[in-house]
Amino acid sequence: MDFKDKNTGFAATVGFFDGVHTGHRFLLEQLSLMAEKHNLRSMAVTFPEHPRLVLQQDYKPLLLSTPEDKIRMLSQKPIDICTPLHFTRQLSEMTARQFMKEILHDQLGIEVLLMGHDHHFGHDGVRDIREYQRIGNEVGIQVFKADALIYKNEPVSSSRIRRMLSVGNVREASAMLGYNYSMTGTVVHGFQNGRRIGFPTANLGPYNPFLQIPENGVYASIARIGAESFMSMVNIGFRPTFSGTTQRTIEANLFDFDRDIYGQELTLEFVDYIRPEQRFGSPALLAEQLMKDRNQIRKILTK
C-alpha cells in the first residue's frame, strides 16, 4: 500500500473480531472506503486475548478462531494495518473518553472511528452512538456507525455462529463465516476401536481448549495434512457403542488413506452434519452404519 498521498493518521474500527466472519469483512470494507474518503490509512484494532479472561481467570470462552488465526485473517483483509491491543485490567477501567483520547487518538493516531453495529467500550457503560460522537468531537475523532450485514433477517455475529455450531448446523455457520469452520490439533493415539471394525481414525488432540466444538455427531469434512487434503468422516462424542468414555473425542476417518500420521498436525474442516452420535447394539451394526455414512459423505463432498 502506498501511503505517500495519505495523511499519517488512521481511520479505524475496534473489535474482538472472533472468527473474522462475513459481518466483520463487511465492516472492514466500509472502513476501507471511509479511509479513502478521508485520505487516511485504515486500521483494525483487536484484542488477542478475550477481555473476560483478564477480568475472570476461571472464565472459559468458546471461540471461533485462535488469536494467531484471527490476526492472520485480519492482516489479509482490505485494510492497511492490523493492530493488536492487549486487554489489561487498567484498560478495562478506562472510561470511553479516556480510551478514545489516550489510546485511540494519542497513542494510535486515530482520527476517524467506525463503530461496529453492536460494539461498545468504556468502563462507564456508554452505549449510544451519539455519546461516542460527542466524546469524539471533544478529543479529535470523528465517529461513525457502520451498517450490519444481514443474513436471513438477522445481523451476522460471532455468537450467532457459535449457536449454529453448538447444534451441529455447520452449513449455516460456514455460510456466515464465509469459509468452513475448522479445528486444528495434533494426531494422538486412541483406543483403536475404529481400526478393528475397518474404519481407522485419526484422533484430534491437543487442540486449542477455547475453540467451540460442534455438537456431538457425525460430519462430512475435509482433512488437511500439510498441503494435502482428503475426504473424511468425523465423529464427535463419547464412543457409546464401545462402553463410552468420559472424555469427549474428535475422530476422523480419512478416505482412501493408509499412513501413520501420529504426532502430525491435522486440520478438520466441517462441511455438513450427517447424524447424531448414537449407541449401536454391536460393533458390526456400527460398521454397517458407518459404511452408509461414508457413502453419503462421498456424495456430499464430490458435488
Side-chain angles (χ1 to χ4, degrees):
M1 179 65 67
D2 186 359
F3 294 146
K4 63 185 178 183
D5 294 326
K6 294 186 176 181
N7 295 331
T8 56
F10 290 94
T13 190
V14 180
F16 188 59
F17 293 108
D18 185 27
V20 193
H21 53 62
T22 54
H24 293 141
R25 273 170 269 177
F26 184 56
L27 170 63
L28 296 175
E29 288 165 5
Q30 293 175 71
L31 175 65
S32 184
L33 291 173
M34 184 161 287
E36 284 291 328
K37 179 180 178 181
H38 290 85
N39 199 36
L40 298 167
R41 290 176 286 174
S42 56
M43 176 192 293
V45 181
T46 191
F47 305 106
E49 52 279 302
H50 195 287
R52 271 187 69 180
L53 269 176
V54 175
L55 305 175
Q56 190 179 334
Q57 297 267 323
D58 59 348
Y59 175 68
K60 184 180 179 181
L62 295 175
L63 304 177
L64 302 173
S65 56
T66 64
E68 297 79 16
D69 284 340
K70 178 171 67 174
I71 299 297
R72 175 183 54 78
M73 288 189 285
L74 283 172
S75 299
Q76 294 171 347
K77 300 308 163 191
I79 53 173
D80 295 324
I81 185 170
C82 172
T83 300
L85 180 64
H86 290 287
F87 192 86
T88 62
R89 188 165 292 276
Q90 181 183 9
L91 194 68
S92 74
E93 294 170 352
M94 283 186 163
T95 63
R97 190 183 194 286
Q98 287 174 320
F99 181 68
M100 291 174 71
K101 174 71 170 66
E102 297 174 25
I103 304 296
L104 300 187
H105 184 271
D106 295 353
Q107 183 176 317
L108 299 178
I110 293 169
E111 298 177 18
V112 170
L113 178 64
L114 182 62
M115 299 282 295
H117 74 97
D118 60 350
H119 184 65
H120 51 81
F121 52 77
H123 185 67
D124 45 345
V126 175
R127 295 290 185 272
D128 194 315
I129 185 66
R130 290 168 296 185
E131 183 64 11
Y132 289 116
Q133 289 170 333
R134 184 190 67 77
I135 296 170
N137 289 335
E138 294 176 358
V139 304
I141 298 177
Q142 295 184 69
V143 179
F144 300 91
K145 186 174 183 178
D147 294 325
L149 179 66
I150 304 300
Y151 176 75
K152 294 190 176 180
N153 302 317
E154 291 182 54
V156 173
S157 68
S158 299
S159 58
R160 188 180 172 196
I161 294 169
R162 286 192 292 271
R163 283 197 301 274
M164 289 296 99
L165 292 172
S166 72
V167 296
N169 196 338
V170 293
R171 274 193 177 273
E172 287 289 273
S174 296
M176 289 186 282
L177 281 167
Y179 56 88
N180 291 330
Y181 182 69
S182 67
M183 296 185 67
T184 298
T186 303
V187 178
V188 298
H189 289 274
F191 293 95
Q192 307 295 319
N193 292 323
R195 183 172 297 280
R196 284 192 284 271
I197 61 172
F199 290 87
T201 59
N203 291 265
L204 192 70
Y207 46 82
N208 188 300
F210 294 140
L211 285 180
Q212 172 77 56
I213 301 175
E215 170 68 305
N216 291 350
V218 177
Y219 293 85
S221 71
I222 302 295
R224 301 195 185 278
I225 305 168
E228 297 180 283
S229 60
F230 304 88
M231 295 183 188
S232 64
M233 171 169 57
V234 171
N235 184 81
I236 300 176
F238 298 96
R239 302 189 183 100
T241 301
F242 298 99
S243 300
T245 175
T246 57
Q247 183 178 356
R248 196 180 192 192
T249 61
I250 303 174
E251 303 174 89
N253 171 245
L254 280 61
F255 299 173
D256 309 313
F257 183 88
D258 186 20
R259 293 206 316 252
D260 183 346
I261 54 172
Y262 290 119
Q264 294 188 40
E265 185 176 88
L266 173 68
T267 296
L268 299 175
E269 292 186 14
F270 296 91
V271 177
D272 206 354
Y273 178 79
I274 303 302
R275 63 172 176 83
E277 183 182 47
Q278 60 192 101
R279 185 182 185 280
F280 291 88
S282 69
L285 289 174
L286 171 60
E288 184 179 325
Q289 180 60 51
L290 290 177
M291 185 68 74
K292 295 176 183 177
D293 295 338
R294 185 162 63 184
N295 291 337
Q296 181 182 351
I297 289 169
R298 279 192 190 275
K299 291 177 182 178
I300 291 170
L301 296 180
T302 51
K303 284 183 181 179

